[in-house]
Amino acid sequence: MKRYVILISGRGSNMESLLDASLPGECVAVISNKPDAAGLASAAARGIPTVAIDHKQFASREDFDAALAAEIDGYAPDLVLLAGFMRILTDGFVRRYEGRLLNIHPSLLPLFPGVKTHAQALAAGVRLHGCTVHFVTPALDGGPIIAQAAVPVLARDNEVTLAARVLIEEHALYPRVAQWYLEGRLRLDGGRAVLDGEAPAAGALHVPAPD
Ligand code: GRF
Protein backbone atom coordinates (compact mmCIF):
# COMPACT_ATOMS: atom_id res chain seq x y z
CA MET A 1 0.00 0.00 0.00
CA LYS A 2 1.34 3.44 -0.91
CA ARG A 3 2.23 5.83 1.89
CA TYR A 4 1.40 9.51 2.01
CA VAL A 5 2.19 12.51 4.20
CA ILE A 6 -0.01 15.61 4.50
CA LEU A 7 1.44 19.06 5.24
CA ILE A 8 -0.85 21.66 6.83
CA SER A 9 -0.63 25.09 8.45
CA GLY A 10 -4.07 25.65 9.97
CA ARG A 11 -7.65 24.47 10.06
CA GLY A 12 -7.01 21.28 8.12
CA SER A 13 -10.39 20.79 6.47
CA ASN A 14 -8.77 19.56 3.25
CA MET A 15 -6.64 17.20 5.33
CA GLU A 16 -9.83 15.88 6.96
CA SER A 17 -11.43 15.31 3.57
CA LEU A 18 -8.38 13.25 2.55
CA LEU A 19 -8.28 11.26 5.80
CA ASP A 20 -12.01 10.55 5.66
CA ALA A 21 -12.02 9.45 2.03
CA SER A 22 -10.86 5.83 2.58
CA LEU A 23 -8.04 6.36 0.12
CA PRO A 24 -6.15 3.32 -1.16
CA GLY A 25 -3.04 4.27 0.81
CA GLU A 26 -1.82 4.91 4.32
CA CYS A 27 -1.46 8.39 5.79
CA VAL A 28 1.78 7.95 7.72
CA ALA A 29 2.03 11.48 9.15
CA VAL A 30 0.51 14.94 9.26
CA ILE A 31 3.13 17.67 9.61
CA SER A 32 2.48 21.35 10.38
CA ASN A 33 4.80 24.33 10.30
CA LYS A 34 2.57 25.88 12.98
CA PRO A 35 2.45 24.14 16.36
CA ASP A 36 -1.03 25.54 17.07
CA ALA A 37 -2.60 24.37 13.80
CA ALA A 38 -6.09 23.11 14.60
CA GLY A 39 -5.69 20.32 12.06
CA LEU A 40 -3.06 18.59 14.21
CA ALA A 41 -5.65 17.71 16.84
CA SER A 42 -8.14 16.36 14.34
CA ALA A 43 -5.41 14.25 12.69
CA ALA A 44 -4.36 12.88 16.08
CA ALA A 45 -8.01 12.12 16.87
CA ARG A 46 -8.04 9.95 13.75
CA GLY A 47 -4.98 8.05 14.98
CA ILE A 48 -2.50 9.67 12.59
CA PRO A 49 1.02 10.52 13.86
CA THR A 50 1.40 14.31 13.99
CA VAL A 51 4.50 16.49 14.00
CA ALA A 52 4.97 20.25 14.34
CA ILE A 53 8.10 21.87 12.96
CA ASP A 54 7.89 25.55 13.82
CA HIS A 55 9.36 27.51 10.93
CA LYS A 56 10.02 30.42 13.28
CA GLN A 57 12.72 28.36 15.00
CA PHE A 58 14.85 28.32 11.84
CA ALA A 59 17.22 31.03 10.67
CA SER A 60 16.49 30.59 6.99
CA ARG A 61 13.97 29.11 4.58
CA GLU A 62 16.66 26.60 3.52
CA ASP A 63 17.20 25.43 7.11
CA PHE A 64 13.48 24.94 7.67
CA ASP A 65 13.02 23.08 4.41
CA ALA A 66 15.98 20.81 5.23
CA ALA A 67 14.42 19.93 8.59
CA LEU A 68 11.03 19.40 6.96
CA ALA A 69 12.52 17.15 4.27
CA ALA A 70 14.41 15.11 6.88
CA GLU A 71 11.17 14.57 8.81
CA ILE A 72 9.21 13.66 5.69
CA ASP A 73 11.89 11.26 4.46
CA GLY A 74 11.75 9.43 7.79
CA TYR A 75 8.25 8.30 6.80
CA ALA A 76 9.36 7.20 3.30
CA PRO A 77 6.21 8.47 1.60
CA ASP A 78 5.25 7.83 -2.02
CA LEU A 79 3.20 11.03 -2.06
CA VAL A 80 3.31 14.37 -0.25
CA LEU A 81 0.07 16.39 -0.19
CA LEU A 82 0.11 20.11 0.61
CA ALA A 83 -3.27 20.91 2.17
CA GLY A 84 -3.43 24.53 3.22
CA PHE A 85 0.34 24.54 3.79
CA MET A 86 1.06 28.26 3.78
CA ARG A 87 4.83 28.33 3.23
CA ILE A 88 6.74 29.06 0.07
CA LEU A 89 9.04 26.09 -0.45
CA THR A 90 12.61 26.34 -1.74
CA ASP A 91 13.43 25.07 -5.21
CA GLY A 92 15.62 22.38 -3.65
CA PHE A 93 12.73 21.05 -1.58
CA VAL A 94 10.34 21.07 -4.51
CA ARG A 95 12.81 19.27 -6.78
CA ARG A 96 13.44 16.60 -4.13
CA TYR A 97 9.77 15.61 -4.29
CA GLU A 98 9.18 16.33 -7.96
CA GLY A 99 6.40 14.20 -9.37
CA ARG A 100 5.12 13.18 -5.93
CA LEU A 101 4.23 16.58 -4.47
CA LEU A 102 0.68 17.89 -4.96
CA ASN A 103 -1.09 21.09 -3.89
CA ILE A 104 -4.65 22.36 -3.85
CA HIS A 105 -5.12 26.02 -4.67
CA PRO A 106 -8.40 27.92 -4.27
CA SER A 107 -8.70 29.39 -7.75
CA LEU A 108 -8.92 28.27 -11.35
CA LEU A 109 -5.22 28.53 -12.09
CA PRO A 110 -3.46 30.15 -13.84
CA LEU A 111 -5.87 32.86 -12.65
CA PHE A 112 -5.22 34.25 -9.20
CA PRO A 113 -2.06 32.62 -7.86
CA GLY A 114 -0.88 33.59 -4.39
CA VAL A 115 -3.15 34.58 -1.52
CA LYS A 116 -6.60 36.21 -1.18
CA THR A 117 -7.82 34.35 -4.24
CA HIS A 118 -11.51 34.88 -3.51
CA ALA A 119 -11.04 38.63 -3.18
CA GLN A 120 -9.06 38.57 -6.42
CA ALA A 121 -11.87 36.73 -8.18
CA LEU A 122 -14.53 39.15 -6.91
CA ALA A 123 -12.42 42.15 -7.91
CA ALA A 124 -11.90 40.73 -11.39
CA GLY A 125 -15.64 40.09 -11.82
CA VAL A 126 -15.24 36.53 -13.07
CA ARG A 127 -18.46 34.51 -13.30
CA LEU A 128 -16.74 31.19 -12.62
CA HIS A 129 -14.27 30.55 -9.82
CA GLY A 130 -13.04 27.34 -8.28
CA CYS A 131 -10.06 25.28 -7.25
CA THR A 132 -7.14 23.49 -8.82
CA VAL A 133 -5.05 20.47 -7.86
CA HIS A 134 -1.60 20.59 -9.42
CA PHE A 135 1.85 19.09 -9.27
CA VAL A 136 4.16 21.42 -7.38
CA THR A 137 7.10 22.91 -9.25
CA PRO A 138 9.37 25.81 -8.28
CA ALA A 139 6.98 28.29 -9.97
CA LEU A 140 4.55 29.44 -7.24
CA ASP A 141 1.12 27.93 -7.96
CA GLY A 142 2.42 27.32 -11.47
CA GLY A 143 2.89 23.56 -11.72
CA PRO A 144 1.10 21.27 -14.17
CA ILE A 145 -2.64 21.25 -13.59
CA ILE A 146 -4.22 17.88 -12.81
CA ALA A 147 -7.86 18.70 -12.14
CA GLN A 148 -10.14 21.64 -11.51
CA ALA A 149 -13.62 22.21 -10.15
CA ALA A 150 -15.64 25.32 -10.95
CA VAL A 151 -18.40 27.12 -9.10
CA PRO A 152 -20.56 30.05 -10.15
CA VAL A 153 -19.88 33.48 -8.68
CA LEU A 154 -23.21 34.89 -7.54
CA ALA A 155 -24.18 38.54 -7.51
CA ARG A 156 -24.54 38.60 -3.74
CA ASP A 157 -21.24 36.79 -3.05
CA ASN A 158 -18.62 38.11 -0.69
CA GLU A 159 -15.27 36.53 0.16
CA VAL A 160 -16.83 34.35 2.86
CA THR A 161 -19.70 32.95 0.81
CA LEU A 162 -17.52 32.40 -2.24
CA ALA A 163 -14.77 30.71 -0.21
CA ALA A 164 -17.36 28.38 1.34
CA ARG A 165 -18.71 27.37 -2.08
CA VAL A 166 -15.19 26.71 -3.39
CA LEU A 167 -14.22 24.77 -0.26
CA ILE A 168 -17.01 22.25 -0.84
CA GLU A 169 -15.44 21.54 -4.22
CA GLU A 170 -11.93 21.37 -2.75
CA HIS A 171 -13.10 18.66 -0.39
CA ALA A 172 -14.45 16.61 -3.29
CA LEU A 173 -11.62 17.23 -5.75
CA TYR A 174 -8.47 16.62 -3.68
CA PRO A 175 -9.35 13.09 -2.48
CA ARG A 176 -10.29 12.14 -6.03
CA VAL A 177 -6.91 13.23 -7.36
CA ALA A 178 -5.05 11.64 -4.45
CA GLN A 179 -6.85 8.40 -5.21
CA TRP A 180 -5.70 8.51 -8.84
CA TYR A 181 -2.11 8.96 -7.68
CA LEU A 182 -2.29 6.21 -5.08
CA GLU A 183 -3.78 3.86 -7.68
CA GLY A 184 -0.75 4.51 -9.88
CA ARG A 185 -2.84 6.20 -12.58
CA LEU A 186 -1.41 9.72 -12.33
CA ARG A 187 2.10 10.91 -13.11
CA LEU A 188 4.14 13.93 -14.10
CA ASP A 189 5.54 13.34 -17.55
CA GLY A 190 7.46 15.90 -19.59
CA GLY A 191 6.05 18.80 -17.62
CA ARG A 192 2.44 17.67 -17.96
CA ALA A 193 0.07 15.80 -15.68
CA VAL A 194 -0.88 12.50 -17.28
CA LEU A 195 -3.84 10.41 -16.12
CA ASP A 196 -4.23 6.83 -17.32
CA GLY A 197 -7.81 6.06 -18.23
CA GLU A 198 -10.72 8.42 -18.17
CA ALA A 199 -11.50 10.86 -15.43
CA PRO A 200 -15.19 10.98 -14.66
CA ALA A 201 -16.69 14.14 -16.14
CA ALA A 202 -17.49 15.34 -12.65
CA GLY A 203 -13.77 15.34 -11.93
CA ALA A 204 -13.12 17.92 -14.62
CA LEU A 205 -15.95 20.36 -14.04
CA HIS A 206 -18.37 20.42 -11.20
CA VAL A 207 -20.82 23.27 -10.99
CA PRO A 208 -23.31 22.71 -8.18
CA ALA A 209 -26.70 24.31 -8.41
CA PRO A 210 -26.64 27.76 -6.79
CA ASP A 211 -28.52 27.84 -3.49
C1 GRF B 1 -7.87 26.03 1.35
O1 GRF B 1 -8.76 26.90 0.70
C2 GRF B 1 -6.71 25.70 0.47
O2 GRF B 1 -7.04 25.55 -0.86
C3 GRF B 1 -5.85 26.93 0.66
O3 GRF B 1 -5.96 27.26 2.02
C4 GRF B 1 -7.19 26.76 2.52
C5 GRF B 1 -6.84 25.82 3.63
O4 GRF B 1 -7.97 25.34 4.30
N1 GRF B 1 -4.51 26.69 0.20
P1 GRF B 1 -7.87 24.05 5.19
O5 GRF B 1 -6.73 24.24 6.18
O6 GRF B 1 -7.66 22.86 4.31
O7 GRF B 1 -9.19 23.98 5.92
Side-chain angles (χ1 to χ4, degrees):
M1 190 175 261
K2 287 205 167 81
R3 300 159 63 85
Y4 64 96
V5 165
I6 305 175
L7 305 188
I8 64 169
S9 296
R11 182 176 56 179
S13 70
N14 275 291
M15 173 207 76
E16 289 172 346
S17 76
L18 291 161
L19 295 179
D20 294 345
S22 304
L23 292 173
E26 183 187 0
C27 181
V28 287
V30 168
I31 303 173
S32 173
N33 65 306
K34 292 197 175 173
D36 60 352
L40 287 174
S42 66
R46 287 167 170 77
I48 309 294
T50 60
V51 183
I53 305 175
D54 186 352
H55 66 271
K56 291 187 184 143
Q57 304 298 319
F58 294 85
S60 69
R61 209 173 272 285
E62 285 72 20
D63 288 352
F64 169 72
D65 280 10
L68 180 60
E71 185 69 30
I72 292 171
D73 290 350
Y75 295 100
D78 301 285
L79 174 64
V80 179
L81 296 159
L82 306 182
F85 186 70
M86 303 302 283
R87 291 283 300 170
I88 292 175
L89 295 162
T90 56
D91 289 7
F93 181 96
V94 170
R95 293 222 168 80
R96 183 183 192 90
Y97 299 102
E98 190 172 13
R100 56 189 174 117
L101 182 60
L102 305 185
N103 182 44
I104 185 155
H105 181 78
S107 79
L108 293 173
L109 289 171
L111 288 174
F112 318 134
V115 295
K116 297 216 162 275
T117 56
H118 309 302
Q120 291 188 62
L122 290 168
V126 294
R127 297 300 184 216
L128 284 174
H129 184 42
C131 56
T132 302
V133 178
H134 64 94
F135 281 105
V136 178
T137 65
L140 180 65
D141 298 325
I145 291 171
I146 301 165
Q148 296 182 305
V151 302
V153 180
L154 307 180
R156 63 176 179 279
D157 266 333
N158 56 43
E159 271 185 76
V160 173
T161 59
L162 186 54
R165 194 174 308 110
V166 171
L167 194 63
I168 290 168
E169 300 308 315
E170 294 186 45
H171 294 165
L173 190 68
Y174 211 3
R176 191 177 301 144
V177 173
Q179 178 165 344
W180 293 338
Y181 192 95
L182 294 167
E183 289 172 347
R185 294 177 56 197
L186 174 65
R187 64 189 189 282
L188 181 62
D189 189 355
R192 294 189 71 87
V194 177
L195 179 67
D196 293 333
E198 281 301 301
L205 176 65
H206 187 191
V207 182
D211 53 277

Short mmCIF file of all heavy atoms in Angstrom, two decimals, residues 58 60-70 87-91 93-94:
data_model
loop_
_atom_site.label_atom_id
_atom_site.label_comp_id
_atom_site.label_asym_id
_atom_site.label_seq_id
_atom_site.Cartn_x
_atom_site.Cartn_y
_atom_site.Cartn_z
N PHE A 58 13.76 28.52 12.80
CA PHE A 58 14.85 28.32 11.84
C PHE A 58 15.31 29.66 11.28
O PHE A 58 14.50 30.56 11.04
CB PHE A 58 14.40 27.40 10.71
CG PHE A 58 14.13 26.00 11.19
CD1 PHE A 58 12.88 25.67 11.72
CD2 PHE A 58 15.11 25.02 11.16
CE1 PHE A 58 12.62 24.40 12.21
CE2 PHE A 58 14.86 23.75 11.63
CZ PHE A 58 13.62 23.44 12.17
N SER A 60 16.71 30.33 8.42
CA SER A 60 16.49 30.59 6.99
C SER A 60 15.47 29.61 6.44
O SER A 60 15.17 28.57 7.05
CB SER A 60 17.80 30.41 6.21
OG SER A 60 18.16 29.04 6.18
N ARG A 61 14.92 29.97 5.29
CA ARG A 61 13.97 29.11 4.58
C ARG A 61 14.65 27.76 4.25
O ARG A 61 14.04 26.70 4.36
CB ARG A 61 13.55 29.82 3.29
CG ARG A 61 12.18 29.48 2.79
CD ARG A 61 11.80 30.36 1.63
NE ARG A 61 11.17 31.61 2.02
CZ ARG A 61 9.92 31.72 2.47
NH1 ARG A 61 9.16 30.66 2.60
NH2 ARG A 61 9.42 32.89 2.78
N GLU A 62 15.93 27.83 3.87
CA GLU A 62 16.66 26.60 3.52
C GLU A 62 16.76 25.68 4.73
O GLU A 62 16.60 24.45 4.61
CB GLU A 62 18.07 26.93 2.99
CG GLU A 62 18.10 27.49 1.58
CD GLU A 62 17.58 28.93 1.48
OE1 GLU A 62 17.54 29.64 2.52
OE2 GLU A 62 17.21 29.34 0.37
N ASP A 63 17.06 26.26 5.89
CA ASP A 63 17.20 25.43 7.11
C ASP A 63 15.88 24.76 7.46
O ASP A 63 15.84 23.58 7.82
CB ASP A 63 17.66 26.29 8.30
CG ASP A 63 19.10 26.73 8.17
OD1 ASP A 63 19.79 26.24 7.24
OD2 ASP A 63 19.54 27.56 8.98
N PHE A 64 14.80 25.53 7.36
CA PHE A 64 13.48 24.94 7.67
C PHE A 64 13.15 23.83 6.68
O PHE A 64 12.72 22.73 7.08
CB PHE A 64 12.38 26.01 7.64
CG PHE A 64 11.01 25.42 7.69
CD1 PHE A 64 10.51 24.86 8.87
CD2 PHE A 64 10.20 25.38 6.55
CE1 PHE A 64 9.24 24.29 8.91
CE2 PHE A 64 8.93 24.81 6.59
CZ PHE A 64 8.45 24.27 7.77
N ASP A 65 13.36 24.09 5.42
CA ASP A 65 13.02 23.08 4.41
C ASP A 65 13.86 21.82 4.57
O ASP A 65 13.39 20.70 4.32
CB ASP A 65 13.19 23.66 2.99
CG ASP A 65 12.01 24.51 2.59
OD1 ASP A 65 11.16 24.81 3.46
OD2 ASP A 65 11.93 24.90 1.40
N ALA A 66 15.12 21.98 5.01
CA ALA A 66 15.98 20.81 5.23
C ALA A 66 15.43 19.97 6.39
O ALA A 66 15.37 18.73 6.31
CB ALA A 66 17.41 21.25 5.52
N ALA A 67 14.99 20.65 7.45
CA ALA A 67 14.42 19.93 8.59
C ALA A 67 13.11 19.25 8.20
O ALA A 67 12.82 18.11 8.59
CB ALA A 67 14.20 20.89 9.75
N LEU A 68 12.31 19.95 7.42
CA LEU A 68 11.03 19.40 6.96
C LEU A 68 11.27 18.16 6.09
O LEU A 68 10.62 17.13 6.26
CB LEU A 68 10.26 20.47 6.20
CG LEU A 68 8.89 20.10 5.64
CD1 LEU A 68 7.94 19.68 6.78
CD2 LEU A 68 8.28 21.28 4.86
N ALA A 69 12.23 18.27 5.17
CA ALA A 69 12.52 17.15 4.27
C ALA A 69 13.05 15.95 5.07
O ALA A 69 12.67 14.80 4.79
CB ALA A 69 13.54 17.57 3.21
N ALA A 70 13.88 16.21 6.07
CA ALA A 70 14.41 15.11 6.88
C ALA A 70 13.27 14.40 7.61
O ALA A 70 13.24 13.16 7.68
CB ALA A 70 15.44 15.64 7.88
N ARG A 87 3.42 27.94 3.28
CA ARG A 87 4.83 28.33 3.23
C ARG A 87 5.30 28.22 1.80
O ARG A 87 4.97 27.25 1.09
CB ARG A 87 5.70 27.38 4.06
CG ARG A 87 5.50 27.45 5.54
CD ARG A 87 6.16 28.66 6.15
NE ARG A 87 7.59 28.70 5.96
CZ ARG A 87 8.34 29.76 6.24
NH1 ARG A 87 7.77 30.88 6.68
NH2 ARG A 87 9.64 29.74 6.06
N ILE A 88 6.07 29.18 1.37
CA ILE A 88 6.74 29.06 0.07
C ILE A 88 7.92 28.13 0.26
O ILE A 88 8.73 28.30 1.19
CB ILE A 88 7.19 30.44 -0.44
CG1 ILE A 88 5.95 31.27 -0.78
CG2 ILE A 88 8.10 30.29 -1.65
CD1 ILE A 88 6.24 32.69 -1.19
N LEU A 89 8.00 27.11 -0.58
CA LEU A 89 9.04 26.09 -0.45
C LEU A 89 10.22 26.43 -1.36
O LEU A 89 10.03 26.98 -2.46
CB LEU A 89 8.47 24.72 -0.80
CG LEU A 89 7.39 24.24 0.19
CD1 LEU A 89 6.54 23.13 -0.42
CD2 LEU A 89 8.03 23.78 1.49
N THR A 90 11.42 26.07 -0.93
CA THR A 90 12.61 26.34 -1.74
C THR A 90 12.61 25.43 -2.97
O THR A 90 12.02 24.34 -2.97
CB THR A 90 13.89 26.08 -0.93
OG1 THR A 90 13.85 24.74 -0.43
CG2 THR A 90 14.03 27.06 0.22
N ASP A 91 13.33 25.88 -3.99
CA ASP A 91 13.43 25.07 -5.21
C ASP A 91 14.01 23.68 -4.90
O ASP A 91 13.58 22.67 -5.48
CB ASP A 91 14.34 25.76 -6.24
CG ASP A 91 13.67 26.99 -6.83
OD1 ASP A 91 12.58 27.37 -6.37
OD2 ASP A 91 14.27 27.58 -7.76
N PHE A 93 13.76 21.91 -2.19
CA PHE A 93 12.73 21.05 -1.58
C PHE A 93 11.77 20.53 -2.64
O PHE A 93 11.46 19.35 -2.71
CB PHE A 93 11.96 21.84 -0.51
CG PHE A 93 10.91 21.05 0.19
CD1 PHE A 93 11.17 20.45 1.42
CD2 PHE A 93 9.64 20.89 -0.37
CE1 PHE A 93 10.19 19.69 2.06
CE2 PHE A 93 8.67 20.13 0.27
CZ PHE A 93 8.95 19.54 1.49
N VAL A 94 11.33 21.45 -3.49
CA VAL A 94 10.34 21.07 -4.51
C VAL A 94 10.93 20.03 -5.46
O VAL A 94 10.27 19.04 -5.82
CB VAL A 94 9.88 22.33 -5.27
CG1 VAL A 94 9.05 21.96 -6.49
CG2 VAL A 94 9.08 23.24 -4.34
#
